[in-house]
Amino acid sequence: MAAYRWKSFNDDGDRPEKPRRYGVTEMRGPHYSLFSRGLLEDVFESMGQFVDGLKLCDGSHTSMPKTYIKEVTDMAHKHNVYVSSGDWADQMLRQGPSALKEYIEECKQLGFDTIELDVASLGLPEETLLRYVRLIKSGGLRAKPQFSVKFNKSDIAFTGDRAFGAYMIPAPQTSEMVEDVDLLVRRAERCLEAGADMIMINADDLCRQADFLRSDMVAKIVGRLGLEKTMFEASNPKISEWFVKRYGPKVNLFVDHSQVMDLECLRGRNLGQNHSSVLGRSYFLL
């Protein structure tokens, strides 16, 4: 087991050793820039103890050879890092009703551990979303629905229109988007009841910028769903710092690979914002 001069994990500290149920750091994989196998290996070799998950965003894995993807997933598993397919299921569903089952099988063959479902992109009825969560779980993979705080206005049921969970005829989709954190929480709770392993919270309109962070909505999400079952997208170091200061080191965050070390310093004991003491000459594997 790797150990760092300035860092150790124990149940009484910030969080335990991997695999962790809380204090999870999920890292963004290939996206807007080239993310070579060598760079990925360097990240795992130097910071693998701090990385819990690797997410291949926006279907980036579909543009790469399957042999390469399998090498990447094998490398991640070697360092006890799970791999998420990212929000690509909505593209697969356009190919027909059976496409999701085929996608699940392909993800298993490539070595993925988690399938993410972007609820906003899918635009599915609630019961269909729950069925997809159960389908992913029955296929032996983890399900992670991703929610945004904004919904299409047609998805908002008027008071008294229906009982909890009852079917109603879908209203025509509109272009108007409205905020509804209560609907986010209720749908997320139902996904967890259906077997979802984690709920991803999109940063858009919620915590994209530190100056406009919706702390009241974040508090409601955490209060209802709990820290262990929620993961927040932290688009920059200031957002990560806010989450760790507000909710402690056990908060689950999704960050860019360049932010992993900064986030780990924030999670650590009494390290503050001055990282020079831990990122200087004292930072090396023992």
Side-chain angles (χ1 to χ4, degrees), residues 69 76 94 118 121 128 136 143 147 203 209 264 280:
I69 296 300
R94 296 175 184 176
D118 189 336
S121 298
T128 305
I136 293 170
F147 285 92
Q209 301 295 331
E264 198 59 40

Side-chain angles (χ1 to χ4, degrees), residues 228-240:
E228 184 177 322
K229 291 296 184 179
T230 52
M231 176 176 288
F232 291 91
E233 180 183 2
S235 53
N236 58 67
K238 287 187 177 181
I239 296 297
S240 298

Side-chain angles (χ1 to χ4, degrees), residues 189-224:
E189 285 176 334
R190 295 201 70 196
C191 285
L192 292 173
E193 291 171 359
D197 298 271
M198 183 79 73
I199 302 297
M200 171 70 81
I201 305 298
N202 195 303
D204 291 342
D205 304 306
L206 187 67
C207 52
R208 177 70 65 185
Q209 301 295 331
D211 295 338
F212 302 98
L213 196 146
R214 309 294 297 275
S215 59
D216 56 334
M217 292 187 175
V218 172
K220 179 171 286 190
I221 293 170
V222 172
R224 292 279 296 276

Side-chain angles (χ1 to χ4, degrees), residues 26 44 52-56 69 72-77 81-86 107 110-115 141-142:
E26 185 171 296
F44 287 150
D52 298 271
L54 170 68
K55 176 179 174 180
L56 305 187
I69 296 300
V72 168
T73 57
D74 288 344
M75 184 193 309
H77 294 155
V81 173
Y82 69 82
V83 186
S84 171
S85 67
C107 286
L110 293 176
F112 286 96
D113 306 284
T114 300
I115 290 182
L141 297 178
R142 301 171 186 167

Side-chain angles (χ1 to χ4, degrees), residues 15 45 68 84 90 99 119 134 136 138 163 167 197 214 221 225 283:
R15 61 204 198 287
E45 290 291 342
Y68 175 79
S84 171
D90 58 315
V119 176
R134 297 186 188 102
I136 293 170
S138 65
Y167 176 79
D197 298 271
R214 309 294 297 275
I221 293 170
L225 303 180
Y283 171 61

